[in-house]
């Protein structure tokens, strides 16, 4: 049964004005490269500008030659272009693309953190495009994040309970559900420890546990193997294989061994 369907999805930024506070000297014949610090935009904001091209920009009132206090430029860009795919229960569908290609943007669109420029996302036959994240979580769509940020002042069990509270209003019930999820991902012996003492591998499992605790049907995994060594990567692969039959999974991952081990299908389309 198809749970998640994406059709004609497109996400763009344009026109976009980006301003920097910079100081530099530009001499005739020099090339100056400007790069964004925002990781999602960086691949699209790299420029090599000659003195002449700076003069052309200056004609538009965007920059001043010589000593620059602020530099502005305008551009249009696409981060996700025309993606079409379905994800069914028991499948692991993989999204591949270079850093900055729009993979995380795709996840943000599906989970309601961003709206697409065009196209739609359907879940169980219903159009969910643009619904807020909390409503999509209640429907049964959960995601992990590439950069794991646990609540350091809480225990591992309490961190997982942040997810389980979605289905269990009472604290005791939520903590019981969190304990069961923690056991299932291999964190049973660390449930009462502070989340701040977990290793990278432990934090990755905690991130997965928080998503699983919302009791989803669709699970979006954003680079769950990032930062793991070979042994921990194999353990995470084994864990995801055990979970596979219970969920429809959409996976973003750069570890090709993990990709080829887990993937049942590739998404159709392009991340720009």
């Amino acid at each position: 049964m198809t749970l998640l369907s994406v059709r004609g999805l497109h996400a763009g930024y344009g026109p976009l004005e980006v301003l920097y506070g910079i100081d530099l000297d530009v001499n005739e014949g020099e090339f100056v490269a400007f790069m964004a610090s925002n990781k999602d935009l960086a691949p699209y904001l790299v420029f090599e500008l000659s003195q002449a091209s700076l003069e052309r920009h200056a004609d538009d009132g965007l920059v001043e030659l010589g000593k620059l206090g602020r530099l502005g430029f305008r551009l249009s860009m696409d981060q996700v272009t025309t993606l079409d795919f379905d994800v069914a229960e028991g499948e692991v569908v993989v999204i591949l693309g270079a850093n900055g290609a729009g993979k995380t943007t795709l996840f943000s669109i599906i989970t309601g953190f961003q709206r697409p420029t065009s196209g739609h996302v359907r879940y169980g036959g219903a159009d969910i495009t643009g619904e807020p994240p909390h409503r999509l979580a209640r429907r049964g769509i959960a995601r992990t994040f590439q950069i794991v940020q646990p609540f350091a002042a809480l225990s591992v069990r309490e961190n997982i309970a942040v997810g389980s509270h979605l289905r269990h209003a009472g604290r005791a019930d939520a903590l019981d559900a969190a304990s069961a999820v923690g056991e299932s991902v291999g964190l049973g012996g660390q449930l009462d420890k502070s989340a701040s003492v977990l290793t990278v591998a432990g934090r990755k499992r905690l991130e997965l546990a928080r998503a699983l605790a919302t009791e989803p049907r669709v699970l979006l995994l954003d680079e769950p193997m990032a930062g793991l060594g070979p042994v921990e990567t194999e353990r995470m692969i084994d864990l995801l294989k055990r979970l596979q039959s219970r969920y429809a999974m959409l996976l973003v991952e750069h570890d090709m061994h993990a990709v080829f081990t887990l993937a049942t299908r590739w998404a159709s389309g392009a991340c720009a």
Side-chain angles (χ1 to χ4, degrees):
M1 174 186 174
T2 296
L3 289 180
L4 184 70
S5 176
V6 172
R7 290 289 179 273
L9 202 66
H10 173 273
Y13 297 83
L16 175 72
E17 183 171 334
V18 181
L19 294 175
Y20 287 82
I22 59 172
D23 292 295
L24 76 159
D25 293 310
V26 181
N27 300 314
E28 187 173 4
E30 284 188 332
F31 287 82
V32 182
F34 304 100
M35 181 175 290
S37 60
N38 184 309
K39 68 180 179 65
D40 289 325
L41 304 183
Y44 304 93
L45 305 183
V46 182
F47 295 84
E48 289 186 342
L49 302 176
S50 66
Q51 180 87 344
S53 65
L54 281 173
E55 288 172 349
R56 288 196 294 274
H57 280 275
D59 290 340
D60 297 329
L62 291 178
V63 299
E64 296 178 1
L65 292 178
K67 198 76 173 176
L68 301 182
R70 292 191 71 81
L71 169 70
F73 49 88
R74 298 178 185 273
L75 71 156
S76 296
M77 68 180 184
D78 296 327
Q79 274 203 283
V80 179
T81 59
T82 319
L83 273 171
D84 294 275
F85 61 88
D86 300 320
V87 187
E89 191 172 30
E91 284 192 317
V92 179
V93 176
V94 174
I95 304 290
L96 292 178
N99 289 332
K103 304 181 298 298
T104 297
T105 298
L106 171 65
F107 274 21
S108 295
I109 290 171
I110 293 172
T111 53
F113 289 92
Q114 292 179 229
R115 292 188 66 93
T117 306
S118 60
H120 62 259
V121 181
R122 293 186 180 277
Y123 174 75
D127 191 338
I128 60 169
T129 313
E131 282 194 17
H134 69 277
R135 193 171 299 167
L136 295 174
R138 177 69 67 179
R139 283 183 179 271
I141 300 176
R143 69 170 294 183
T144 66
F145 291 84
Q146 178 184 348
I147 300 175
V148 181
Q149 295 181 316
F151 297 100
L154 301 181
S155 69
V156 171
R157 191 192 320 270
E158 289 168 331
N159 266 269
I160 301 172
V162 171
S164 60
H165 268 293
L166 180 69
R167 309 290 181 188
H168 305 275
R171 177 174 172 79
D173 289 343
L175 288 172
D176 286 345
S179 298
V181 173
E183 293 280 355
S184 73
V185 300
L187 291 174
Q190 303 183 75
L191 288 170
D192 293 319
K193 293 182 179 179
S194 170
S196 63
V197 305
L198 291 179
T199 63
V200 172
R203 290 185 178 211
K204 287 288 186 177
R205 287 173 181 265
L206 175 57
E207 181 74 1
L208 176 60
R210 285 195 299 195
L212 294 175
T214 66
E215 300 177 21
R217 298 183 68 195
V218 175
L219 192 57
L220 281 65
L221 303 170
D222 195 351
E223 298 193 32
M225 264 63 77
L228 300 183
V231 173
E232 287 299 337
T233 295
E234 289 297 333
R235 290 174 179 168
M236 181 63 78
I237 290 172
D238 289 342
L239 173 57
L240 295 178
K241 286 171 70 175
R242 292 200 305 271
L243 296 172
Q244 179 178 337
S245 63
R246 297 159 49 191
Y247 305 96
M249 294 187 187
L250 192 59
L251 173 66
V252 167
E253 183 54 61
H254 289 289
D255 187 303
M256 297 311 295
H257 168 63
V259 166
F260 284 110
T261 302
L262 293 168
T264 56
R265 238 175 356 100
W266 315 100
S268 172
C271 286

